């Protein structure tokens, strides 16, 4: 049975769990699945075995706490430690999706800001001079920061799957992670010294390129 079939079967079987057992199991399921450096297939096989074990125990009147213990995180971490590390196609697609969405946001926001500033406030120019050396460094930094943002979000989601935070608090923390990551990147971008071959680029081209990156990211998301 392949990974997709295991996930589909898991989704169906979870409907048989009682409310308490389902909440407990799904917390661990999310936590274990967010261990992004592990073999996806073996992860789903382990989750399937855990679910089968819990369903049998449930028929005997036992709860998830009786089977797995009260400390979900410790038990889940023990399972994760036993899973082999592997960089899968799904993990690579997630990484590239994060990179393209980050680039789309950075370029699109910059182009949109320049366009609004020029047309509404007659500020600056629609055509700006860029330096190839500077932009090359910024491009590499944008990839690094997009991966950093992705890792931070995955780690945060993994943590919240066990902590069961209020949805508003979870949203605010996610928003803060995004603001801090993008904020540090734009500060570095702003103070980066200018060097290398110069060229001019209109603001609308940045918006178009940003939209193109967003489209690529969306296509990767749909193909995952």
């Amino acid at each position: 049975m392949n990974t997709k079939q295991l996930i589909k079967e898991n989704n169906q079987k979870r409907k048989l769990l009682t409310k308490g057992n389902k909440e407990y199991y799904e917390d661990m399921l999310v936590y274990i699945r967010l261990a992004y450096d592990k073999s996806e297939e073996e992860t789903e096989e382990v989750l399937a075995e855990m679910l089968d074990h819990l369903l049998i125990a449930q028929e005997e009147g036992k709860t998830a706490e009786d089977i797995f213990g009260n400390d979900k995180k410790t038990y889940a971490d023990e399972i994760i430690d036993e899973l082999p590390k592997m960089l899968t196609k799904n993990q690579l697609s997630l990484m590239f999706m994060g990179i393209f969405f980050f680039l789309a946001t950075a370029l699109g926001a910059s182009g949109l800001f320049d366009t609004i500033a020029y047309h509404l406030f007659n500020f600056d120019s629609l055509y700006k001079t860029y330096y190839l050396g500077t932009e090359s460094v910024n491009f590499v930094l944008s990839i690094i920061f997009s991966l950093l943002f992705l890792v931070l979000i995955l780690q945060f989601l993994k943590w919240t799957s066990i902590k069961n935070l209020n949805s508003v608090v979870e949203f605010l923390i996610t928003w803060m992670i995004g603001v801090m990551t993008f904020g540090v990147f734009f500060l570095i971008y702003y103070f980066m010294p200018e060097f290398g071959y110069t060229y001019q680029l209109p603001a609308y081209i940045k918006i178009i390129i940003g939209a193109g990156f967003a489209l690529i990211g969306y296509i990767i998301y749909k193909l995952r």
Side-chain angles (χ1 to χ4, degrees):
M1 189 179 295
N2 61 36
T3 303
K4 288 185 178 180
Q5 289 174 326
L6 283 169
I7 293 173
K8 185 177 180 180
E9 186 175 287
N10 188 300
N11 292 337
Q12 292 298 319
K13 285 185 176 180
R14 289 207 309 273
K15 296 176 182 178
L16 301 175
L17 292 172
T18 61
K19 182 180 179 181
N21 285 344
K22 186 178 181 182
E23 289 177 355
Y24 185 106
Y25 175 79
E26 287 183 345
D27 285 346
M28 288 206 301
L29 178 143
V30 172
Y31 187 87
I32 293 171
R33 280 181 177 171
L34 286 173
Y36 52 87
D37 60 341
K38 301 298 182 178
S39 167
E40 187 179 17
E41 184 176 353
E42 294 202 32
T43 296
E44 293 305 324
E45 287 175 356
V46 169
L47 288 171
E49 290 175 6
M50 290 173 60
L51 181 55
D52 288 338
H53 190 40
L54 180 56
L55 285 169
I56 292 172
Q58 182 175 276
E59 292 180 357
E60 298 172 357
K62 297 179 181 178
T63 66
E65 286 85 355
D66 295 330
I67 306 302
F68 305 122
N70 293 319
D71 192 343
K72 291 181 283 188
K73 183 180 183 302
T74 299
Y75 188 83
D77 283 335
E78 290 175 357
I79 292 173
I80 291 171
D81 288 340
E82 294 176 0
L83 291 169
K85 290 189 175 183
M86 184 180 293
L87 190 61
T88 66
K89 178 182 176 182
N90 187 56
Q91 291 157 356
L92 282 171
S93 65
L94 184 64
M95 180 179 68
F96 282 110
M97 185 179 68
I99 290 172
F100 280 114
F101 278 138
F102 188 94
L103 291 173
T105 302
L107 280 170
S110 176
L112 190 61
F113 175 80
D114 291 343
T115 302
I116 293 173
Y118 177 78
H119 286 293
L120 293 185
F121 306 104
N122 198 27
F123 177 77
D124 213 343
S125 170
L126 286 178
Y127 286 80
K128 285 192 173 183
T129 300
Y130 297 92
Y131 295 78
L132 184 59
T134 303
E135 295 307 315
S136 297
V137 173
N138 286 332
F139 179 76
V140 174
L141 286 174
S142 67
I143 293 176
I144 294 172
F145 272 87
S146 64
L147 293 176
L148 174 63
F149 173 70
L150 184 62
V151 170
L152 288 174
I153 289 297
L154 287 175
Q155 290 298 323
F156 173 67
L157 292 175
K158 185 179 174 183
W159 180 73
T160 56
S161 67
I162 297 296
K163 296 297 181 181
N164 294 321
L165 290 182
N166 179 279
S167 58
V168 175
V169 175
E170 186 174 333
F171 169 78
L172 288 174
I173 295 176
T174 304
W175 180 79
M176 286 175 61
I177 292 172
V179 169
M180 289 174 64
T181 307
F182 280 89
V184 172
F185 170 74
F186 281 115
L187 279 174
I188 295 173
Y189 180 88
Y190 183 79
F191 289 107
M192 181 69 64
E194 298 173 336
F195 65 95
Y197 174 79
T198 61
Y199 61 96
Q200 283 194 325
L201 197 68
Y204 70 86
I205 290 295
K206 290 196 290 185
I207 297 174
I208 292 173
I209 295 174
F213 281 143
L215 179 61
I216 294 172
Y218 178 74
I219 291 172
I220 294 173
Y221 167 75
K222 295 299 289 185
L223 293 176
R224 286 181 66 235

